[in-house]
Amino acid sequence: MGLFNFIKEAGEKLFGGKDAHAATPAAAAPTQDELNAKASKAIETYIASQNLGTSNVQVAFQGPEGKVTVKGDAPTQAAKEKVTLCCGNVAGVTSVDNQMGVTQPEPEAQYHDVVRGDTLSAIAKKFYGDANKYPVIFEANKPMLTDPDKIYPGQKLRIPAL
C-alpha cells in the first residue's frame, strides 16, 4: 500500500493546536515521547470510534515528522484504506505508513486530494464520468464523512472502482 502523504494543517483536531501547551510551566512541560504517546492514543481511539471491524490496532505517532505508522488487522482492503484516512485526515499528520494485514484482500482504491471548490459530484464526474455517482464516493468514505456536502480542502478521499 505504501506511504501516503497528507496536508499537515488539514483534518480532525484530535490532540490540540500549536499553543495547546503554551500555558504549561517549563518544568511541567511534557516530553516529546509523552506527546507522541498521547497523540498515538488519540488516533487509536478515533479509529476505534469509526467501527471499521479492525483488531489489534497499534498506532505510533512521530510528532516532529508528523508520521503515523499503524499496525493491526483489517477485515477488508476498504477497512484498511479507511484506517489510512482516519490517521491521515488528522491535523498534524503529514504521512501514514499502513502496515495492517487484510483478511480479505481486494484491489486498492484510488485517492483524491480535495481542493477548494471540489464537490463529491465533481469528483465523481472526474473519476467515473458521471456526477450522479457521488454516493459511491460518499459511502466509500463513511463514517469519516457524515454529510456529502461537508468535505474540505486538504482532505484525502478514497475513490473505489465501480
Side-chain angles (χ1 to χ4, degrees), residues 15-81:
F15 35 86
K18 293 178 185 176
D19 55 2
H21 302 286
T24 306
T31 66
Q32 188 62 54
D33 287 343
E34 291 170 332
L35 292 172
N36 287 348
K38 183 177 178 181
S40 296
K41 186 66 178 163
I43 295 170
E44 283 178 12
T45 301
Y46 181 60
I47 292 168
S49 75
Q50 302 302 308
N51 298 316
L52 299 173
T54 57
S55 58
N56 306 316
V57 175
Q58 300 170 346
V59 173
F61 179 70
Q62 298 168 339
E65 298 84 19
K67 180 180 178 185
V68 171
T69 302
V70 62
K71 298 178 182 181
D73 301 302
T76 63
Q77 182 67 31
K80 178 180 178 178
E81 292 169 354

Side-chain angles (χ1 to χ4, degrees), residues 149-160:
D149 294 324
K150 293 185 180 178
I151 61 173
Y152 55 86
Q155 189 174 32
K156 191 176 289 277
L157 300 175
R158 289 182 66 241
I159 312 295

